[in-house]
Amino acid sequence: MESLDNQGALRMITLFSGAVKGMAFYPASHPAIRQPLLELDKVLGSALGRAAEVSWGIIDGVMFFEEHLFITPSTAIADLSNRMLEKDIGRVIMSAGLTFDELERFVRLFSAKGSGFELLGAQIMQEGITHIRLVRQGEETFENQPDEDPYDSDDNGDSLATYGQALKAIQSICRDIERGRIPHSAPVIRVVDRMVGITMQDPSTLLGLTMIKDYDNYTFNHCVNVGVLAMALGASLGMDTMSVKSLGIAGQLHDIGKTMIPKLILNKPGKLSSAEFDEMKRHPELGAKIIREMKGLDPHIAQIVLGHHLHFNRSGYPEWAQKLPFNQMIDIVAIADTYDAITTLRVYQHPVNPRAALTEMQKIVGTYLDGALVAAFVEMMGKYPVGTLVRLDTNEVAVVYRPNPLDEEAPTVRILIEGDGTRLSVPIERSLAEQNGVRYANVVAVVDPHLKNINVGKFVVSGNY
Ligand SMILES: [Fe+2]
Ligand SMILES: [Fe+2]
C-alpha cells in the first residue's frame, strides 16, 4: 500500500461515503451511485493488486484508511463515521479478489438504516460476499492476533514483555466489567510488581514504550502508559515501593469507569453536548466503585481513581468530591494522564511531540496541574524524552532512544533517515555524547513524526523494528 497517498485514501473513503448516501435516493443503477462505485472499484482493485487486504474504519472517533488518519473529517467522512458507530463497526477489511458486484451489494446492505453489526454480518454471509469482512468496534485485540503480538516475544526484553502483560491485564478487566462481572485484581497486581523493579532500576525502556501509540488499542495503551508514567514520576520523587506500586495500579485502572459509559459518547467525533459530557464525567466515580468491589486492592487506589480529574486547584469533577481530602497521588496520576493524552492522537487533535507536550503542561500549572510535580516530571523526562523524533545537524532524522543523564543535549539516538533523505531499513544507533573530544552530531530541531509518517514507538524497543 505504499503508493497510496493521503489524497488517494481520502478519495476512497469519500467515494464510499458518497455511494452509501446515494443509495437513500437512487436505485443502484443510477449514475450518482454507479459512478463513485466504478471509480472506487478501480482504485480498490489496484490497491488490492499490491496488497492482500486493505482495511479502513474508525478508532476512537478517528477515521482511517490503512495507515492514513483523517483527523479533521470532511462532511463525507463525519457522515460515514456516524454510520459506522451506529452499526458498531470498527473496521471493514476488503481482500484481493473483491468483485464489483460484491462491492455494490455491500454498499447497498451497509446503507440500510438500522442494520447493526450482527445483521449486516449475517447478510454479507447470506449474499455470498466473501471478500469483505467486518470487525466490531474495539474487538481487535492482541488475543485476536496472536501471531502479531510483539509483546509476547521472549527476546524483546523484560520491559516489553511486561508491557504486553499489562495490556492483557487491563483488557481482561475491561471485558469483565462489560460482562457485568467484578474483575480479579491479581493480574494487574502481578504486572505492577514486575514493573516496580524495572522502574526503580531504569525506567527508560518502559517510558519509551509509552510512545507506542497504537490507535487500534488506544484505551488499553493509555491505561498502561498512565500507570508507567505515574510510577516513574513517583520513583523519581523518592517515594517508597508501596506508594510506587499504588501509583502503578491506580494509573492503570484510572479510566476503567469509561467501560460503563456508552460507546456512542466515548467515540463521538467532535464536541460532546453538555448532557453527554455530564455522562462522561461519571467515569472516575464509576471506576472507583468497581475498584472498591475488587478483592485485594487497597481502598486508597479507589480514592486516587476517584480524584484523577479533580485538578490541582480541585475545581474539576466529580463536583461533590472537590472538598474531600486527597493526597498528592491524584496530582501525579493527573500529570501522567495529561502527558499521555496530549502526546497521543485523539479526535480532532494531532498528537504533540514529547518535548512540546512538556511545554504545554507547564502552561496549566497552578490550575490543572501541580507546578512542583510538573517540574519534577520535566526533569525526569529530560530535554528530549525517549521517543522524540529529532533532526541532527548532519540533516539526519533520528529517534531518541536513551537519555543521557550527564548531558541532556546528547542522548543516544537511532538514525532512521539519512542526510540525503534515504530511509534506513535498519536504524543506526549513535551516541551523541562526545567521544575523544568529538561529537557525532547535535540536535537542531524536533520533527513531527506524522509529517514523516514514522511510528516512533517501534524504534524505541530493543532490536524490534
Ligand atoms: Fe479519566
Ligand atoms: Fe485518562
Side-chain angles (χ1 to χ4, degrees):
M1 287 300 300
E2 263 170 40
S3 49
L4 183 77
D5 61 5
N6 210 48
Q7 280 302 316
L10 178 64
R11 181 81 191 131
M12 284 215 232
I13 292 289
T14 308
L15 286 167
F16 186 85
S17 179
V20 167
K21 257 190 180 163
M23 285 282 182
F25 306 106
Y26 308 106
S29 56
H30 193 280
I33 297 168
R34 206 160 171 80
Q35 272 314 319
L37 274 182
L38 281 169
E39 191 185 337
L40 185 61
D41 183 54
K42 203 172 131 200
V43 225
L44 271 173
S46 78
L48 287 170
R50 296 186 296 268
E53 284 185 349
V54 294
S55 76
W56 51 275
I58 177 166
I59 299 282
D60 288 307
V62 179
M63 195 97 206
F64 66 92
F65 190 102
E66 290 289 298
E67 72 274 30
H68 302 284
L69 300 164
F70 308 110
I71 295 167
T72 313
S74 61
T75 323
I77 287 183
D79 182 67
L80 189 58
S81 297
N82 286 333
R83 285 174 193 261
M84 302 273 288
L85 288 173
E86 272 167 28
K87 295 178 190 297
D88 203 22
I89 301 171
R91 184 184 286 254
V92 177
I93 303 169
M94 299 180 160
S95 50
L98 177 74
T99 64
F100 178 78
D101 190 45
E102 285 179 313
L103 184 64
E104 185 184 298
R105 275 183 290 160
F106 176 67
V107 170
R108 179 168 45 75
L109 294 173
F110 184 93
S111 65
K113 279 236 178 308
S115 63
F117 181 85
E118 251 130 56
L119 179 61
L120 196 55
Q123 290 171 328
I124 288 173
M125 295 257 285
Q126 264 167 21
E127 298 228 1
I129 303 172
T130 54
H131 297 100
I132 298 179
R133 62 182 206 277
L134 305 178
V135 179
R136 200 192 281 271
Q137 276 281 333
E139 251 183 26
E140 275 181 293
T141 65
F142 288 95
E143 281 182 5
N144 289 347
Q145 301 168 332
D147 295 336
E148 290 174 23
D149 184 349
Y151 304 104
D152 261 356
S153 167
D154 278 348
D155 44 64
N156 275 323
D158 243 16
S159 300
L160 191 58
T162 308
Y163 190 96
Q165 282 161 7
L167 278 177
K168 284 195 169 141
I170 189 71
Q171 208 171 13
S172 86
I173 285 176
C174 292
R175 197 172 299 149
D176 281 343
I177 299 169
E178 268 172 359
R179 291 173 184 166
R181 296 188 206 136
I182 302 298
H184 290 292
S185 57
V188 73
I189 294 176
R190 238 187 340 256
V191 93
V192 168
D193 276 347
R194 287 187 64 176
M195 280 183 169
V196 170
I198 301 172
T199 306
M200 297 290 206
Q201 264 182 1
D202 173 17
S204 58
T205 312
L206 272 178
L207 287 174
L209 287 173
T210 68
M211 287 309 293
I212 298 182
K213 308 295 189 185
D214 178 354
Y215 56 90
D216 277 0
N217 283 286
Y218 164 71
T219 315
F220 305 127
N221 278 52
H222 174 64
C223 290
V224 177
N225 291 349
V226 171
V228 167
L229 291 159
M231 285 172 91
L233 179 55
S236 80
L237 293 166
M239 286 185 165
D240 60 78
T241 311
M242 280 308 288
S243 307
V244 174
K245 265 189 202 174
S246 297
L247 282 169
I249 297 172
Q252 295 201 18
L253 301 181
H254 80 287
D255 272 344
I256 57 168
K258 284 191 179 175
T259 316
M260 299 177 79
I261 307 289
K263 281 215 171 75
L264 278 174
I265 296 179
L266 272 187
N267 295 330
K268 185 179 171 181
K271 229 175 158 359
L272 296 180
S273 70
S274 76
E276 288 166 338
F277 189 50
D278 283 345
E279 181 70 21
M280 183 68 126
K281 287 202 296 196
R282 293 178 63 221
H283 80 266
E285 54 197 272
L286 290 171
K289 187 168 175 288
I290 298 163
I291 291 166
R292 272 187 225 107
E293 290 171 18
M294 286 166 70
K295 285 203 183 86
L297 290 183
D298 199 293
H300 71 259
I301 306 269
Q303 282 302 100
I304 305 174
V305 171
L306 178 66
H308 80 273
H309 282 294
L310 276 174
H311 307 329
F312 176 60
N313 63 9
R314 305 298 184 252
S315 64
Y317 60 87
E319 278 91 354
W320 60 263
Q322 288 173 353
K323 298 269 183 301
L324 295 180
F326 286 93
N327 64 21
Q328 217 184 16
M329 305 286 249
I330 66 170
D331 299 301
I332 293 178
V333 172
I335 286 176
D337 190 21
T338 308
Y339 178 79
D340 189 65
I342 56 184
T343 52
T344 307
L345 167 85
R346 299 307 313 275
V347 180
Y348 299 136
Q349 178 204 294
H350 253 297
V352 173
N353 73 60
R355 197 172 156 200
L358 298 177
T359 312
E360 289 298 306
M361 287 166 67
Q362 279 157 331
K363 291 182 193 157
I364 49 170
V365 149
T367 49
Y368 286 75
L369 302 176
D370 179 335
L373 289 177
V374 170
F377 188 71
V378 170
E379 163 112 33
M380 174 189 86
M381 298 299 275
K383 186 165 182 186
Y384 300 107
V386 173
T388 308
L389 200 64
V390 292
R391 183 179 299 283
L392 307 178
D393 54 7
T394 51
N395 204 35
E396 288 160 312
V397 175
V399 62
V400 175
Y401 178 58
R402 284 283 173 277
N404 178 355
L406 300 176
D407 182 355
E408 61 176 11
E409 291 286 348
T412 297
V413 300
R414 284 180 161 183
I415 296 164
L416 310 179
I417 303 177
E418 288 182 311
D420 63 2
T422 311
R423 279 178 190 247
L424 294 166
S425 51
V426 178
I428 300 169
E429 205 165 302
R430 288 255 189 252
S431 164
L432 299 188
E434 252 179 44
Q435 273 148 15
N436 306 324
V438 189
R439 232 181 211 196
Y440 173 73
N442 297 294
V443 174
V444 288
V446 173
V447 179
D448 180 351
H450 283 77
L451 292 179
K452 296 274 169 203
N453 203 7
I454 291 171
N455 176 4
V456 290
K458 65 178 187 174
F459 296 106
V460 297
V461 178
S462 300
N464 183 33
Y465 310 122

PDB file of all heavy atoms in Angstrom, residues 218 222-223 226 254-255 258 283 308-309 337-338 341 346, ligand 2:
ATOM      1  N   TYR A 218      -6.050   2.027  21.598  1.00  0.00           N
ATOM      2  CA  TYR A 218      -5.769   3.265  22.307  1.00  0.00           C
ATOM      3  C   TYR A 218      -6.095   3.186  23.799  1.00  0.00           C
ATOM      4  O   TYR A 218      -5.271   3.523  24.640  1.00  0.00           O
ATOM      5  CB  TYR A 218      -6.532   4.443  21.662  1.00  0.00           C
ATOM      6  CG  TYR A 218      -6.572   5.605  22.589  1.00  0.00           C
ATOM      7  CD1 TYR A 218      -5.407   6.323  22.846  1.00  0.00           C
ATOM      8  CD2 TYR A 218      -7.730   5.929  23.301  1.00  0.00           C
ATOM      9  CE1 TYR A 218      -5.401   7.359  23.760  1.00  0.00           C
ATOM     10  CE2 TYR A 218      -7.737   6.957  24.213  1.00  0.00           C
ATOM     11  CZ  TYR A 218      -6.575   7.667  24.434  1.00  0.00           C
ATOM     12  OH  TYR A 218      -6.564   8.675  25.361  1.00  0.00           O
ATOM     13  N   HIS A 222      -3.365   3.563  26.674  1.00  0.00           N
ATOM     14  CA  HIS A 222      -3.432   4.760  27.525  1.00  0.00           C
ATOM     15  C   HIS A 222      -3.390   4.365  28.999  1.00  0.00           C
ATOM     16  O   HIS A 222      -2.655   4.947  29.781  1.00  0.00           O
ATOM     17  CB  HIS A 222      -4.704   5.548  27.198  1.00  0.00           C
ATOM     18  CG  HIS A 222      -4.949   6.705  28.110  1.00  0.00           C
ATOM     19  ND1 HIS A 222      -4.088   7.783  28.183  1.00  0.00           N
ATOM     20  CD2 HIS A 222      -5.928   6.946  29.020  1.00  0.00           C
ATOM     21  CE1 HIS A 222      -4.550   8.650  29.082  1.00  0.00           C
ATOM     22  NE2 HIS A 222      -5.657   8.150  29.609  1.00  0.00           N
ATOM     23  N   CYS A 223      -4.158   3.356  29.373  1.00  0.00           N
ATOM     24  CA  CYS A 223      -4.194   2.921  30.777  1.00  0.00           C
ATOM     25  C   CYS A 223      -2.807   2.477  31.237  1.00  0.00           C
ATOM     26  O   CYS A 223      -2.322   2.900  32.292  1.00  0.00           O
ATOM     27  CB  CYS A 223      -5.180   1.767  30.954  1.00  0.00           C
ATOM     28  SG  CYS A 223      -6.881   2.291  30.765  1.00  0.00           S
ATOM     29  N   VAL A 226      -0.328   5.446  31.462  1.00  0.00           N
ATOM     30  CA  VAL A 226      -0.528   6.312  32.634  1.00  0.00           C
ATOM     31  C   VAL A 226       0.057   5.625  33.874  1.00  0.00           C
ATOM     32  O   VAL A 226       0.711   6.271  34.706  1.00  0.00           O
ATOM     33  CB  VAL A 226      -2.024   6.672  32.805  1.00  0.00           C
ATOM     34  CG1 VAL A 226      -2.275   7.376  34.127  1.00  0.00           C
ATOM     35  CG2 VAL A 226      -2.468   7.559  31.639  1.00  0.00           C
ATOM     36  N   HIS A 254      -7.118   3.891  36.097  1.00  0.00           N
ATOM     37  CA  HIS A 254      -7.758   5.206  36.293  1.00  0.00           C
ATOM     38  C   HIS A 254      -8.999   5.425  35.423  1.00  0.00           C
ATOM     39  O   HIS A 254      -9.926   6.093  35.849  1.00  0.00           O
ATOM     40  CB  HIS A 254      -6.741   6.344  36.099  1.00  0.00           C
ATOM     41  CG  HIS A 254      -6.459   6.699  34.680  1.00  0.00           C
ATOM     42  ND1 HIS A 254      -5.720   5.892  33.847  1.00  0.00           N
ATOM     43  CD2 HIS A 254      -6.845   7.759  33.917  1.00  0.00           C
ATOM     44  CE1 HIS A 254      -5.663   6.463  32.648  1.00  0.00           C
ATOM     45  NE2 HIS A 254      -6.322   7.590  32.669  1.00  0.00           N
ATOM     46  N   ASP A 255      -9.019   4.843  34.235  1.00  0.00           N
ATOM     47  CA  ASP A 255     -10.155   5.100  33.332  1.00  0.00           C
ATOM     48  C   ASP A 255     -11.083   3.900  33.168  1.00  0.00           C
ATOM     49  O   ASP A 255     -11.893   3.889  32.232  1.00  0.00           O
ATOM     50  CB  ASP A 255      -9.623   5.522  31.943  1.00  0.00           C
ATOM     51  CG  ASP A 255      -9.402   7.033  31.842  1.00  0.00           C
ATOM     52  OD1 ASP A 255      -9.937   7.771  32.696  1.00  0.00           O
ATOM     53  OD2 ASP A 255      -8.691   7.467  30.914  1.00  0.00           O
ATOM     54  N   LYS A 258     -14.737   4.187  32.314  1.00  0.00           N
ATOM     55  CA  LYS A 258     -15.208   4.511  30.960  1.00  0.00           C
ATOM     56  C   LYS A 258     -15.864   3.308  30.295  1.00  0.00           C
ATOM     57  O   LYS A 258     -16.647   3.453  29.364  1.00  0.00           O
ATOM     58  CB  LYS A 258     -14.044   4.999  30.088  1.00  0.00           C
ATOM     59  CG  LYS A 258     -13.635   6.419  30.421  1.00  0.00           C
ATOM     60  CD  LYS A 258     -12.682   6.950  29.391  1.00  0.00           C
ATOM     61  CE  LYS A 258     -12.301   8.385  29.741  1.00  0.00           C
ATOM     62  NZ  LYS A 258     -11.278   8.911  28.843  1.00  0.00           N
ATOM     63  N   HIS A 283     -17.105   8.858  34.892  1.00  0.00           N
ATOM     64  CA  HIS A 283     -16.194   7.713  34.853  1.00  0.00           C
ATOM     65  C   HIS A 283     -15.272   7.588  36.073  1.00  0.00           C
ATOM     66  O   HIS A 283     -14.999   6.462  36.487  1.00  0.00           O
ATOM     67  CB  HIS A 283     -15.432   7.628  33.516  1.00  0.00           C
ATOM     68  CG  HIS A 283     -14.253   8.533  33.384  1.00  0.00           C
ATOM     69  ND1 HIS A 283     -14.306   9.776  32.823  1.00  0.00           N
ATOM     70  CD2 HIS A 283     -12.954   8.365  33.753  1.00  0.00           C
ATOM     71  CE1 HIS A 283     -13.107  10.325  32.836  1.00  0.00           C
ATOM     72  NE2 HIS A 283     -12.270   9.494  33.405  1.00  0.00           N
ATOM     73  N   HIS A 308      -8.863  11.592  39.949  1.00  0.00           N
ATOM     74  CA  HIS A 308      -7.881  11.892  38.904  1.00  0.00           C
ATOM     75  C   HIS A 308      -8.259  13.042  37.969  1.00  0.00           C
ATOM     76  O   HIS A 308      -7.421  13.546  37.233  1.00  0.00           O
ATOM     77  CB  HIS A 308      -7.468  10.623  38.119  1.00  0.00           C
ATOM     78  CG  HIS A 308      -8.415  10.162  37.057  1.00  0.00           C
ATOM     79  ND1 HIS A 308      -9.471   9.328  37.307  1.00  0.00           N
ATOM     80  CD2 HIS A 308      -8.459  10.404  35.728  1.00  0.00           C
ATOM     81  CE1 HIS A 308     -10.113   9.074  36.177  1.00  0.00           C
ATOM     82  NE2 HIS A 308      -9.513   9.724  35.194  1.00  0.00           N
ATOM     83  N   HIS A 309      -9.524  13.505  38.023  1.00  0.00           N
ATOM     84  CA  HIS A 309      -9.900  14.685  37.213  1.00  0.00           C
ATOM     85  C   HIS A 309     -10.265  15.875  38.095  1.00  0.00           C
ATOM     86  O   HIS A 309     -10.941  16.803  37.630  1.00  0.00           O
ATOM     87  CB  HIS A 309     -11.089  14.357  36.296  1.00  0.00           C
ATOM     88  CG  HIS A 309     -10.707  13.563  35.084  1.00  0.00           C
ATOM     89  ND1 HIS A 309      -9.899  14.080  34.083  1.00  0.00           N
ATOM     90  CD2 HIS A 309     -11.001  12.293  34.709  1.00  0.00           C
ATOM     91  CE1 HIS A 309      -9.729  13.149  33.148  1.00  0.00           C
ATOM     92  NE2 HIS A 309     -10.378  12.057  33.514  1.00  0.00           N
ATOM     93  N   ASP A 337      -1.611  11.273  33.072  1.00  0.00           N
ATOM     94  CA  ASP A 337      -2.788  11.226  32.212  1.00  0.00           C
ATOM     95  C   ASP A 337      -2.706  12.341  31.156  1.00  0.00           C
ATOM     96  O   ASP A 337      -2.908  12.101  29.962  1.00  0.00           O
ATOM     97  CB  ASP A 337      -4.035  11.412  33.096  1.00  0.00           C
ATOM     98  CG  ASP A 337      -5.334  11.133  32.362  1.00  0.00           C
ATOM     99  OD1 ASP A 337      -5.302  10.445  31.334  1.00  0.00           O
ATOM    100  OD2 ASP A 337      -6.388  11.603  32.840  1.00  0.00           O
ATOM    101  N   THR A 338      -2.379  13.547  31.593  1.00  0.00           N
ATOM    102  CA  THR A 338      -2.306  14.687  30.675  1.00  0.00           C
ATOM    103  C   THR A 338      -1.216  14.471  29.634  1.00  0.00           C
ATOM    104  O   THR A 338      -1.426  14.681  28.441  1.00  0.00           O
ATOM    105  CB  THR A 338      -2.007  15.989  31.469  1.00  0.00           C
ATOM    106  OG1 THR A 338      -2.963  16.089  32.517  1.00  0.00           O
ATOM    107  CG2 THR A 338      -2.095  17.213  30.581  1.00  0.00           C
ATOM    108  N   ALA A 341      -2.217  11.823  27.159  1.00  0.00           N
ATOM    109  CA  ALA A 341      -3.320  12.269  26.289  1.00  0.00           C
ATOM    110  C   ALA A 341      -2.811  13.229  25.220  1.00  0.00           C
ATOM    111  O   ALA A 341      -3.181  13.100  24.057  1.00  0.00           O
ATOM    112  CB  ALA A 341      -4.409  12.923  27.131  1.00  0.00           C
ATOM    113  N   ARG A 346      -5.873  12.047  19.196  1.00  0.00           N
ATOM    114  CA  ARG A 346      -7.258  11.967  19.660  1.00  0.00           C
ATOM    115  C   ARG A 346      -8.136  12.595  18.588  1.00  0.00           C
ATOM    116  O   ARG A 346      -7.649  13.203  17.648  1.00  0.00           O
ATOM    117  CB  ARG A 346      -7.449  12.735  20.985  1.00  0.00           C
ATOM    118  CG  ARG A 346      -6.623  12.242  22.144  1.00  0.00           C
ATOM    119  CD  ARG A 346      -6.762  10.766  22.406  1.00  0.00           C
ATOM    120  NE  ARG A 346      -8.129  10.284  22.432  1.00  0.00           N
ATOM    121  CZ  ARG A 346      -8.905  10.326  23.493  1.00  0.00           C
ATOM    122  NH1 ARG A 346      -8.469  10.836  24.635  1.00  0.00           N
ATOM    123  NH2 ARG A 346     -10.126   9.853  23.428  1.00  0.00           N
TER     124      ARG A 346
HETATM  125 FE    FE B   2      -7.169   9.034  31.095  1.00  0.00          FE
END
